[in-house]
Amino acid sequence: MGTYYLPHLKELEAEAIFVIREVVSQSERPALLFSGGKDSILLSHLAKKAFYPAKIPFPLIHIDTGHNFPETIEFRDNLVEKLGVQLIVGSVQESIDKGRVREETGVNASRNALQTVTLLDTLEEHKIDAAMGGARRDEEKARAKERFFSHRDEFGQWDPKNQRPELWNLFNGKKHHGEHFRVFPISNWTEMDVWQYILMEQIDLPSLYFSHKRDCVVRDGVILANSEFIQLKPDEEVKNMVVRYRTCGDMPITGAVLSEADTLELIIEEVATTRTTERGTRADDKRGETAMEDRKKQGYF
């Protein structure tokens, strides 16, 4: 574990492991939703601890938009092999090909909203009744309305006014046929907690999270990676910049930050002084005041 140790992190770890074990004990076909970002990587680390020395007893599900950073996919495949777990991939491109969703067009096109249909189809296909994920309450105002066990109806929809009480960490996992739960074991963690725990446990992360040089374009104040998935406007100029990412999503919508932080210690120092949330650089969250909540009601994670 090294010399870096904070007692409150062990309390958060114990709480998360308890929730993960509760999910396995109360559900028939649980799964862990894995994006390749730091929070889902942290969650897979906690799941490994929860059942060690046995292997993680549920699959990882990745909803692949086809617009991922290549570093994310490479890290995902290496981690799955290392953990020895099953990987289920839901393809947004396949949903488009089947006519389940329609691809957006234009310079601000994104596949982010299309993930909802692919996710719900994947959960239904594999009969998943409890899908765990690394969402935290400090990420975004809609996230703050969640319980640990978030009930979803037979259409996969979320009703923020119909949340079950969770007193003394007693979780009600009862549901009707066709319904399921989204479960958030690290709800009470902050971004700083995540980074400090990653340092304490020496958890490997994709190189995206550390300072590096990348060809970027600045659009509406957001630094976006230049790629085959982004359509440049006539007045936009590609520049080579020194950046890193605080959150991991699709290339056309995930904003980078200018940063020289190339170690976990420097990232922690940087996070301690920033006044912007990590999702403050996500272009998809800027489409409306209630963008995240609207997507969640439709079945988004």
Side-chain angles (χ1 to χ4, degrees):
M1 185 168 60
T3 58
Y4 192 87
Y5 177 77
L6 294 174
H8 81 281
L9 296 178
K10 300 304 290 185
E11 295 179 13
L12 289 171
E13 176 191 74
E15 178 184 61
I17 287 176
F18 173 77
V19 174
I20 292 170
R21 289 172 175 166
E22 277 291 298
V23 171
V24 172
S25 69
Q26 292 196 41
S27 57
E28 295 181 9
R29 294 184 63 84
L32 191 158
L33 297 182
F34 187 83
S35 68
K38 67 182 186 307
D39 297 320
S40 60
I41 292 170
L42 168 65
L43 199 55
S44 66
H45 179 82
L46 292 168
K48 178 182 177 181
K49 278 197 163 192
F51 302 103
Y52 185 83
K55 291 185 178 181
I56 297 174
F58 42 76
L60 271 55
I61 294 179
H62 180 225
I63 303 303
D64 183 1
T65 64
H67 290 175
N68 299 283
F69 287 90
E71 296 95 327
T72 302
I73 300 300
E74 181 181 0
F75 187 93
R76 178 201 71 185
D77 293 342
N78 290 337
L79 182 62
V80 166
E81 183 178 358
K82 183 178 178 181
L83 293 175
V85 295
Q86 178 190 6
L87 174 66
I88 296 172
V89 178
S91 170
V92 171
Q93 183 61 57
E94 187 175 311
S95 297
I96 295 171
D97 294 341
K98 290 181 177 179
R100 294 282 292 145
V101 293
R102 179 179 297 178
E103 181 133 41
E104 294 181 5
T105 59
V107 293
N108 293 314
S110 166
R111 287 187 172 183
N112 193 62
L114 310 187
Q115 293 181 85
T116 298
V117 171
T118 308
L119 171 59
L120 294 175
D121 287 350
T122 303
L123 295 179
E124 182 177 3
E125 178 184 352
H126 295 275
K127 309 300 180 185
I128 303 299
D129 58 353
M132 291 175 280
R136 308 185 323 271
R137 294 188 181 119
D138 75 321
E139 284 183 276
E140 202 270 348
K141 55 190 177 184
R143 300 284 203 208
K145 299 179 181 181
E146 291 279 21
R147 303 288 196 269
F148 280 101
F149 275 54
S150 178
H151 175 264
R152 303 299 171 105
D153 64 21
E154 64 271 26
F155 301 106
Q157 297 175 330
W158 172 68
D159 181 1
K161 297 180 180 179
N162 187 29
Q163 295 285 297
R164 299 176 179 181
E166 292 179 344
L167 305 176
W168 307 290
N169 276 2
L170 296 176
F171 304 116
N172 182 358
K174 293 183 179 180
K175 61 188 181 306
H176 295 294
H177 180 73
E179 299 175 344
H180 72 276
F181 284 91
R182 309 287 173 86
V183 186
F184 309 105
I186 60 171
S187 289
N188 288 332
W189 297 52
T190 65
E191 183 186 10
M192 178 63 82
D193 292 329
V194 170
W195 282 114
Q196 290 176 331
Y197 186 81
I198 287 171
L199 175 59
M200 186 175 79
E201 295 285 302
Q202 290 295 296
I203 300 172
D204 291 332
L205 293 176
S207 58
L208 291 170
Y209 284 105
F210 301 93
S211 179
H212 60 283
K213 291 184 177 181
R214 184 179 290 272
D215 287 341
C216 301
V217 59
V218 180
R219 176 174 295 176
D220 300 326
V222 178
I223 302 173
L224 299 174
N226 185 41
S227 72
E228 61 182 303
F229 310 124
I230 189 171
Q231 181 180 336
L232 295 178
K233 299 178 182 179
D235 60 338
E236 289 179 333
E237 181 182 354
V238 177
K239 297 180 179 180
N240 191 260
M241 308 170 77
V242 179
V243 300
R244 75 173 191 87
Y245 291 85
R246 292 176 65 191
T247 180
C248 187
D250 275 11
M251 295 188 76
I253 60 172
T254 304
V257 293
L258 296 173
S259 174
E260 299 285 345
D262 57 0
T263 67
L264 290 172
E265 290 84 358
L266 290 175
I267 289 174
I268 288 172
E269 289 182 17
E270 187 177 271
V271 171
T273 58
T274 187
R275 303 187 70 176
T276 305
T277 65
E278 62 207 283
R279 290 194 69 95
T281 58
R282 291 286 289 265
D284 52 320
D285 288 349
K286 299 179 183 295
R287 292 193 170 193
E289 283 292 320
T290 59
M292 169 68 81
E293 184 160 333
D294 291 342
R295 293 200 306 272
K296 284 172 65 63
K297 288 178 180 178
Q298 295 165 4
Y300 181 77
F301 195 69

